[in-house]
Amino acid sequence: MDALARDYPTLLAEREPPCLSLYQPTHRTNPDRQQDRIRFRNLVRELEASLQQKYPKREIAPLLAPFHDLAEDTEFWNHAQDGLAVFGAPGLFKVYRLQRSVRELAIVAESFHTKPLMRIMQSGDRYHVLGIGRREMRLFEGDRYTLEEIEPAAGVPRTAGEVVGDQDTGPERSNRVYGSAGSQVTTSHGMDLRRAEMDNEADRFFRAVDAAVLTHHSQPTGKPLLLAALAEHHHRFRSISRNPHLLDEAIDVDVDAVPADELRARAWRIILPRYLARLDGLVERFGTAQARQAGSVDLADIAREAVNGRIETLLVEADREIPGRFDNATGAIEFAPLEAPGVDDLLDDIGEHVLRTGGEVVIVPAESMPSDTGLAAIYRH
């Protein structure tokens, strides 16, 4: 399995075609899960049929070989989540389990079809939860529907032992804490020293976690961060934290003591007002920009401005597809059936180009879109 947050820029990069993109919903439990492999094989056959329209058999076989191997991996299919994304190209094969269900797609094109991933990576309702105590941390990522524990990036300490080392439990420590004669004064003094030492260790652990989460998770994704910890740890962590993505609101709970769905519900109650406010703000910004002729909903205009690097923010309607071809050099667009070779979703292609040129892409629910074209662009000044 591959790390989507780490690989996402790689998937956006230009590469040698053909680029194979496969998406399908999957299931966590039987009996629904038993059909997942059958549906996967059917989608692979669709990829093969599309490849046969343009490429010789000798080039098709190595491209599809890892897809066939995955279909036979029983262990993989026994640990499905809600969705699956698989990408193949010359010299590359990537597999991602997704927390969100996706629509079945099998596309062969000049670039990878990443719009379903943009729905995950660029969606305004995504957030992180940092569960932390004195000795351990856990990291979660979620949205309104799901909250899943994720593996922290390399360099993020999971335990205090990784930062401060193992506790000294030898005779010398015992003598320092309790006193050689066990006197009450010495014991009290020793306990005070040990408490101060424990506080210092917690500070070092919290500081290391805060810095690493900021570097490896918050800055690359821009997602808001919720603190979930016992009340006694809130002030200590906040006094240390330098993460601007850390929200003022927090969840007063030990994450080991509550079910994941309860943690998700408590997190979403905090995130929802921010999410709605952000959508309202984006729509208002677009309206102002359009009135000043610094925004557009016209696909052809937006495609040209994307190539020119003029798009600051692009709103893309969720679950909308407009099949066609997008010229990365000129921005010209051509409408065509999705099943034809070299055809992808225009909204996907334009969104990818905006990301490559440093713009922001936000996937917006249909009911919140300020246009009926699938796109709304705010241009740079």
Side-chain angles (χ1 to χ4, degrees), residues 284-311:
E284 184 177 349
R285 277 184 57 210
F286 168 75
T288 301
Q290 189 179 36
R292 296 175 178 173
Q293 297 185 334
S296 177
V297 300
D298 183 84
L299 262 64
D301 290 343
I302 292 172
R304 286 193 297 270
E305 298 299 355
V307 168
N308 294 330
R310 285 201 60 224
I311 296 181

Side-chain angles (χ1 to χ4, degrees), residues 9 13 15 26 33 41 63 81 101 119 172 181 190 200 219 288 297 301 320 334-335 347:
R15 62 178 57 257
T26 51
R33 188 168 63 191
R41 290 190 179 101
L63 283 169
Q81 294 189 9
S101 182
R119 180 69 180 93
E172 185 180 350
N200 178 260
Q219 285 180 334
T288 301
V297 300
D301 290 343
R320 176 86 176 269
E334 174 191 354
F335 300 104
L347 305 186

Side-chain angles (χ1 to χ4, degrees), residues 21-27 32-33 35-44 70 76-77 80-86 96-98 100-106 116:
S21 305
L22 184 154
Y23 292 88
Q24 76 170 91
T26 51
H27 303 86
D32 293 331
R33 188 168 63 191
Q35 299 298 314
D36 288 345
R37 272 207 277 189
I38 297 173
R39 296 166 74 180
F40 179 78
R41 290 190 179 101
N42 291 336
L43 290 169
V44 173
L70 184 64
F76 172 82
W77 293 101
Q81 294 189 9
D82 301 304
L84 176 66
V86 185
Y96 306 96
R97 293 190 180 102
L98 306 176
R100 177 177 290 173
S101 182
V102 290
R103 189 165 62 85
E104 284 191 359
L105 282 174

Side-chain angles (χ1 to χ4, degrees), residues 74 211 271 347-348:
T74 301
I271 296 294
L347 305 186
D348 175 43

